[in-house]
Amino acid sequence: MSPEHAPVVEAVGLGRDFTVREGRFPRRRRRTVSAVRDVDLTVHPGEIVGYLGPNGAGKSSTMKMLTGILTPTSGRVRVTGLDPSRERTRLASRIGVVFGQRTSLWWDLPLWDSLALTRHLYRVPADDHARRLAELTGVLELGPFLSTPVRQLSLGQRMRGDLAAALLHGPRLLVLDEPTIGLDVVSKSTIREFLLRLNAREGTTILLTTHDLGDVERLCERVVVVDRGGIAYDGGLDGLRASVPAPRVLVVDLAAPAPPIEVPGGHCTRVEGPRQWLELSANPARVISEVAGAHEVVDLTLREPGIESVVAALYRAGSPSAV
Amino acid sequence: MRVYPAVFALGLRRYSAYRAATFAGLLTNCVFGVINALVLLALFAVRPQINGYDSGDAVTQVFVAQSLIAAVAVMGPPLDLDERVRSGAVATDLLRPVSLTAWWLFDDLGRAAFQLLFRSVPTFGVGALLFDLRLPDCALRWTAVLASFALAVVVSFGLRYLYALSGFWLLDTRGVWAVAGLLGPVAAGMLLPLPLFPAAIGEVLRLLPWASMVQVPADVLLGKDTLPGGGVPGGLAVQAAWAVVLLALGAWTATRATRRVVVQGG
Amino acid sequence: MAETHAPAPERLAWTLRTYVRLAWTWCRALAQYPASLLLLTGMVVLASAAEMGAVAIVFGHAGTLVGFTVFEGLLVYALAATAFGCADLLMGSVERLGQHIRTGSFDAMLVRPVSPLVQLATDGFSPRRLGKVVPALAVLAVSLTVCDIDWTVSRALMLPVLLASSIALCCAVWLAASCTQFVATDAREAANSLTYGGQALTEYPLALYGRGIVRAVTFAVPLAFVSWQPALYLLDRPDPTGLPAALRWAAPAVAVLSCVLAAAAWRSGLRRYRSTGS
């Protein structure tokens, strides 16, 4: 395979055990906990992959192993053909990493200085840098705050600055850990559109972990769901919906507020004045006729399960299922 | 008022979380205590008497100073109030139906109580094991020592509370701390015992509030007649006077400060 | 992006250039608040003056201490203060390792293609630390002139070598002490007992601490080569604690060995960090 088509990320049987100490001094015991178990993951050039999972599922440990911060205890991993833990420094100039909850910019320096430093640290030729900086400044609208110290930037501005710093050296792979956490709706959408454009125009491969399912629905054609260290699902977003039987919801507007409706095959989950939400476990037609028989119904809508409830159901199911 | 014991307990518990840091600090105090003590022993081997101090006095003073460093926080840390003034979070403190001064006093007393137990006592114990320290010989004098240490802690709070309140006008107390963190240890007798200073300078420094945090407690422990007023009661009186003056000044400044409430960033 | 497998000298040159570049960026950022920088520098100068004053007071009372006059004592002080001051300037920020690990900024350093040690050492690089170095150099110059030193050619040539060794040795102590924070991230003060404690110890002629301590800081933690052995060499004096005079020539070798050991401690700390992820 030519390098352009070789996988960007290739992990086979990747695992990471931690030794934890328990109890107080004389009775202290050591126990081994697997944060990541037997993860197989292949990411091809140009893909955008969402890496989802509840807190403590091993997402950040996996990201740390892919970026060379953490050494795996088992398995084999190659990122852009390099072994991250052995060739961390070489790998660093091929990938861009953004941790959403903490900045990799220099806190007390103006953003411009951080970006200029990045050029030297990554040894980007001056004219390449100037071109890319101009481009990123335009797209991410960095202009107004380039000379502001990073600590004074808003979260959204800082995240844009972080993205610029991670992309100035033209990485093949962009690893994002919670890129939209804590951002307002406008900033979130700016960043999502930017990432889509980056992926489309430059073919940059993007691997992101997120809790924001809006990110997933807008950005990812492929999602990987991890739970308790192992992979619970790997495939398209549609497949994910089909794989987990998440209930459909019937929204009923009654003529007047009423106590929560309970009918065979319909269970009330939420009441807001005259409006009620019924989780369906049977044929909607039957439930509708039951409800209409007992109450005066003004309006009805049937909602397909959102990606949120699908993922929630997947986490609840626990054990690795449909792959 | 049950709230103040609770605030005290909160301050105490907050510090007990840093076990490694406490041990590390203890180690540092012991190392510096031993170094300073050996230097002074060498000096007093050549000059057995300097301004009423002999080698035993000097070594004891050194270990009192190292024992009290954490409890009186001459070189920091600042009160958490400094950061709350800077960030504007102090606005929520002002909404509480309790006195700002009393709240922070009890919080800081909790911190100091922890430091006295887990830094001062072990440091002094190590000093007593390694060197021949001058210790009081009766319960009454030990009571005086305890009172003196407690007053040192209150004086320390009084000073640091004023530093923190200066933040209402200066917006940032780091400059104040840069100066205080330098002059404090010298004036307190932490760098060198004050009797080693030229007599005139030493006399002036003894009367300033910083001396009430280290030099005066050390002299109370040693039962020195060089204390103001010629003995232990005079020393305690000077400390108590500074404690009252600083607290009163702090309370007054606090009302001025809250009236102007320049809440940053809020 | 250049992914070079450059030869070692070239890599070293690039690392040094990166160091200077990072340090310079920090200086420029701090220079935007000149008043604050001047105030802080002034405070550092005053703190140095206070320390020096303490040494002067002790020697002033004693006349001579373990055979050292006031100016000979100040020579010892100045050698220690210069070495630790320079080490603090070059490597002092390394002591914030634990804080970087706790806040996650250390991970950010690990995903850049530059040695994390260089990034750590330059983080918050501040010219205010020159406030320690400059007064120390001034006292050094004065005491070198005032003390009765037999300025032979070899002595004149050895002076810069000894200074460089002392600085390298102090950098090694600083780094090795900070590496303990890989194990206990909030134990910064434990490192301080070695760094600042080491400085306090070496500011006085070591003989006054007694033979046991002198032997410990000669053979276990070689702080004796920071100021004591160089001072004995410059003043051409026999060791009052009875150690062989040949030791004073060992300073450069001790410095190199300490740097190697400190580098090994750093590497093993980094390996440990990357296998525990803390």
Side-chain angles (χ1 to χ4, degrees):
Chain A
M1 249 191 284
S2 66
E4 302 92 82
H5 298 104
V8 179
V9 176
E10 204 177 8
V12 180
L14 188 62
R16 176 69 229 187
D17 296 339
F18 290 109
T19 309
V20 290
R21 295 205 190 104
E22 286 180 332
R24 283 216 175 167
F25 173 57
R27 277 187 226 154
R28 185 170 276 185
R29 265 178 308 181
R30 284 158 172 262
R31 194 163 61 90
T32 304
V33 180
S34 300
V36 177
R37 275 188 285 120
D38 205 21
V39 163
D40 295 337
L41 179 69
T42 306
V43 179
H44 293 286
E47 276 192 298
I48 304 184
V49 177
Y51 205 75
L52 318 183
N55 290 332
K59 291 192 307 268
S60 17
S61 293
T62 309
M63 292 305 133
K64 283 182 174 180
M65 287 191 281
L66 295 182
T67 51
I69 298 174
L70 186 64
T71 321
T73 35
S74 59
R76 178 181 169 281
V77 59
R78 290 285 177 277
V79 177
T80 68
L82 299 174
D83 178 344
S85 89
R86 290 204 182 157
E87 298 165 289
R88 175 174 54 79
T89 319
R90 282 187 74 198
L91 177 64
S93 41
R94 295 187 184 182
I95 61 173
V97 184
V98 176
F99 302 109
Q101 280 159 307
R102 43 186 200 241
T103 184
S104 56
L105 302 168
W106 284 265
W107 200 242
D108 296 302
L109 299 184
L111 178 58
W112 191 89
D113 274 324
S114 274
L115 297 177
L117 264 180
T118 306
R119 162 172 113 72
H120 295 294
L121 300 184
Y122 286 84
R123 299 199 231 192
V124 185
D127 29 341
D128 281 12
H129 175 80
R131 186 176 48 76
R132 289 194 70 92
L133 181 59
E135 216 174 275
L136 288 165
T137 305
V139 185
L140 288 166
E141 294 166 32
L142 306 179
F145 50 89
L146 267 179
S147 55
T148 313
V150 171
R151 86 182 104 81
Q152 291 170 14
L153 298 182
S154 75
L155 204 56
Q157 292 173 331
R158 214 190 70 197
M159 179 48 64
R160 274 139 70 197
D162 258 307
L163 274 174
L167 290 167
L168 273 175
H169 59 288
R172 282 189 243 170
L173 170 69
L174 184 60
V175 177
L176 305 166
D177 193 9
E178 302 280 356
T180 60
I181 195 162
L183 298 188
D184 60 75
V185 185
V186 180
S187 304
K188 273 184 188 176
S189 118
T190 311
I191 285 179
R192 286 172 192 158
E193 298 317 311
F194 169 76
L195 292 175
L196 280 176
R197 220 176 113 174
L198 176 80
N199 174 262
R201 281 184 43 181
E202 310 205 6
T204 309
T205 313
I206 300 175
L207 181 60
L208 75 153
T209 74
T210 184
H211 280 295
D212 188 317
L213 295 153
D215 288 351
V216 177
E217 290 189 302
R218 185 75 189 94
L219 293 173
C220 309
E221 292 137 33
R222 178 177 160 205
V223 289
V224 175
V225 181
V226 282
D227 192 25
R228 293 168 215 191
I231 288 183
Y233 176 84
D234 182 354
L237 203 51
D238 297 335
L240 181 62
R241 282 212 180 85
S243 73
V244 182
R248 287 190 287 184
V249 174
L250 183 68
V251 185
V252 194
D253 283 332
L254 303 174
I261 301 170
E262 292 298 331
V263 292
H267 160 66
C268 179
T269 54
R270 197 171 144 199
V271 181
E272 239 172 54
R275 178 175 286 188
Q276 299 205 3
W277 281 258
L278 304 186
E279 213 175 79
L280 301 182
S281 51
N283 182 345
R286 242 186 75 198
V287 178
I288 292 170
S289 68
E290 288 269 0
V291 174
H295 301 270
E296 189 184 336
V297 175
V298 182
D299 196 6
L300 279 171
T301 22
L302 186 60
R303 288 195 185 161
E304 289 299 321
I307 185 75
E308 272 135 77
S309 45
V310 173
V311 172
L314 193 63
Y315 295 170
R316 268 202 304 272
S319 56
S321 57
V323 173
Chain B
M1 290 294 270
R2 300 258 297 277
V3 56
Y4 296 121
V7 175
F8 176 86
L10 200 75
L12 200 146
R13 218 169 320 126
R14 203 169 54 233
Y15 272 81
S16 57
Y18 306 114
R19 248 181 287 175
T22 303
F23 186 76
L26 183 59
L27 181 70
T28 308
N29 294 150
C30 293
V31 167
F32 273 87
V34 170
I35 292 173
N36 292 350
L38 288 173
V39 168
L40 292 181
L41 281 176
L43 167 60
F44 280 88
V46 185
R47 283 273 310 270
Q49 280 282 336
I50 300 172
N51 298 333
Y53 256 45
D54 64 13
S55 63
D57 295 334
V59 172
T60 308
Q61 197 274 2
V62 161
F63 275 95
V64 170
Q66 290 300 323
S67 301
L68 285 177
I69 277 188
V72 301
V74 182
M75 295 182 276
L79 297 172
D80 291 345
L81 178 60
D82 295 55
E83 184 52 44
R84 295 182 71 80
V85 172
R86 187 161 38 221
S87 68
V90 70
T92 57
D93 297 357
L94 297 176
L95 292 176
R96 290 196 200 104
V98 292
S99 144
L100 187 74
T101 309
W103 175 280
W104 286 101
L105 172 63
F106 279 90
D107 178 81
D108 195 52
L109 289 179
R111 178 200 63 81
F114 177 82
Q115 303 287 27
L116 279 172
L117 277 175
F118 293 98
R119 294 274 294 266
S120 308
V121 172
T123 304
F124 203 74
V126 168
L129 272 179
L130 297 176
F131 297 92
D132 199 7
L133 300 188
R134 291 274 151 77
L135 299 178
D137 48 11
C138 68
L140 184 67
R141 280 187 53 205
W142 274 115
T143 317
V145 170
L146 276 183
S148 180
F149 281 21
L151 285 169
V153 166
V154 178
V155 170
S156 138
F157 167 77
L159 279 173
R160 287 181 301 131
Y161 187 55
L162 285 173
Y163 300 163
L165 291 174
S166 73
F168 278 101
W169 286 270
L170 303 175
L171 305 181
D172 192 336
T173 59
R174 276 177 287 199
V176 173
W177 266 101
V179 180
L182 164 72
L183 296 179
V186 179
M190 207 161 256
L191 184 72
L192 271 186
L194 294 187
L196 295 192
F197 282 69
I201 300 176
E203 283 309 312
V204 174
L205 289 182
R206 249 177 232 273
L207 292 174
L208 297 181
W210 291 277
S212 286
M213 295 193 284
V214 174
Q215 187 62 44
V216 175
D219 284 344
V220 166
L221 187 138
L222 291 165
K224 281 284 167 191
D225 54 11
T226 46
L227 280 166
V232 171
L236 291 174
V238 167
Q239 285 186 293
W242 272 122
V244 170
V245 168
L246 290 171
L247 283 183
L249 197 58
W252 179 74
T253 314
T255 51
R256 290 275 314 270
T258 51
R259 215 173 296 149
R260 66 172 272 151
V261 190
V262 184
V263 176
Q264 281 297 295
Chain C
M1 96 203 99
E3 281 179 23
T4 44
H5 276 287
E10 204 171 302
R11 277 212 307 270
L12 182 68
W14 189 70
T15 304
L16 287 177
R17 271 213 309 281
T18 311
Y19 182 101
V20 172
R21 180 101 55 195
L22 282 164
W24 178 241
T25 308
W26 279 103
C27 292
R28 254 201 352 227
L30 289 170
Q32 294 182 338
Y33 307 93
S36 146
L37 183 60
L38 273 177
L39 173 79
L40 288 175
T41 310
M43 284 300 123
V44 176
V45 172
L46 275 178
S48 303
E51 271 175 23
M52 206 156 43
V55 175
I57 286 179
V58 168
F59 274 93
H61 282 297
T64 60
L65 211 50
V66 289
F68 281 65
T69 64
V70 175
F71 279 104
E72 289 165 351
L74 282 174
L75 173 65
V76 175
Y77 164 82
L79 285 167
T82 305
F84 274 99
C86 289
D88 188 19
L89 181 71
L90 296 173
M91 293 285 278
S93 298
V94 170
E95 71 173 359
R96 287 210 300 262
L97 173 65
Q99 190 189 328
H100 286 293
I101 290 177
R102 282 200 303 276
T103 60
S105 46
F106 192 62
D107 283 349
M109 293 181 185
L110 285 174
V111 294
R112 295 196 191 109
V114 175
S115 152
L117 182 55
V118 171
Q119 299 180 56
L120 194 61
T122 51
D123 186 73
F125 186 93
S126 170
R128 73 160 185 273
R129 291 181 182 143
L130 284 172
K132 268 187 192 176
V133 178
V134 173
L137 283 173
V139 181
L140 183 64
V142 171
S143 48
L144 282 175
T145 340
V146 176
C147 292
D148 183 22
I149 295 172
D150 176 20
W151 283 110
T152 61
V153 175
S154 71
R155 222 168 239 121
L157 289 177
M158 262 307 263
L159 180 64
V161 175
L162 287 176
L163 277 179
S165 308
S166 306
I167 294 169
L169 179 55
C170 290
C171 286
V173 168
W174 219 288
L175 177 58
S178 300
C179 284
T180 53
Q181 294 176 39
F182 276 119
V183 185
T185 55
D186 56 350
R188 175 171 161 180
E189 268 207 81
N192 287 353
S193 67
L194 199 58
T195 53
Y196 298 111
Q199 179 176 351
L201 186 90
T202 51
E203 278 173 2
Y204 287 93
L206 288 186
L208 66 79
Y209 300 110
R211 299 164 75 94
I213 289 185
V214 174
R215 274 164 175 66
V217 296
T218 304
F219 300 111
V221 186
L223 290 168
F225 297 91
V226 174
S227 59
W228 174 238
Q229 292 291 349
L232 289 178
Y233 169 76
L234 290 170
L235 297 169
D236 196 16
R237 197 162 294 184
D239 189 329
T241 64
L243 288 172
L247 270 177
R248 54 197 67 171
W249 296 97
V254 169
V256 170
L257 182 67
S258 305
C259 287
V260 169
L261 289 177
W266 169 258
R267 272 161 196 268
S268 84
L270 193 58
R271 201 173 317 119
R272 187 196 138 91
Y273 175 78
R274 291 175 63 204
S275 65
T276 55
S278 306

